Amino acid sequence: MARFTVHGATQRECQDALDELGRLLDVTVTLRPTHSLGGSWIARATQKAPDHQVRGLVVR
């Protein structure tokens, strides 16, 4: 699963970046634009692997 984070100086800037990500990739928004502690805005989205297989290191 791919995870994406977008940042913006304003809520509108953050939402615009999230909208653009959604237009370019098939993502699911997991966090709408939220004011973060550092004074900026943050939003998150995820995208499943095309073949729905988990990628990365396997821990046993």
Side-chain angles (χ1 to χ4, degrees):
M1 177 180 303
R3 294 186 177 105
F4 302 93
T5 302
V6 295
H7 298 266
T10 64
Q11 182 179 12
R12 179 80 257 157
E13 186 178 281
C14 188
Q15 183 64 55
D16 288 346
L18 188 60
D19 292 344
E20 182 70 12
L21 182 64
R23 278 192 292 278
L24 296 173
L25 302 170
D26 181 24
V27 296
T28 301
V29 175
T30 57
L31 178 67
R32 292 270 170 213
T34 302
H35 199 242
S36 67
L37 292 175
S40 64
W41 288 80
I42 186 171
R44 293 196 173 115
T46 61
Q47 180 186 45
K48 291 188 184 270
D51 56 8
H52 305 289
Q53 291 183 357
V54 176
R55 290 176 168 50
L57 299 175
V58 177
V59 179
R60 295 179 191 234

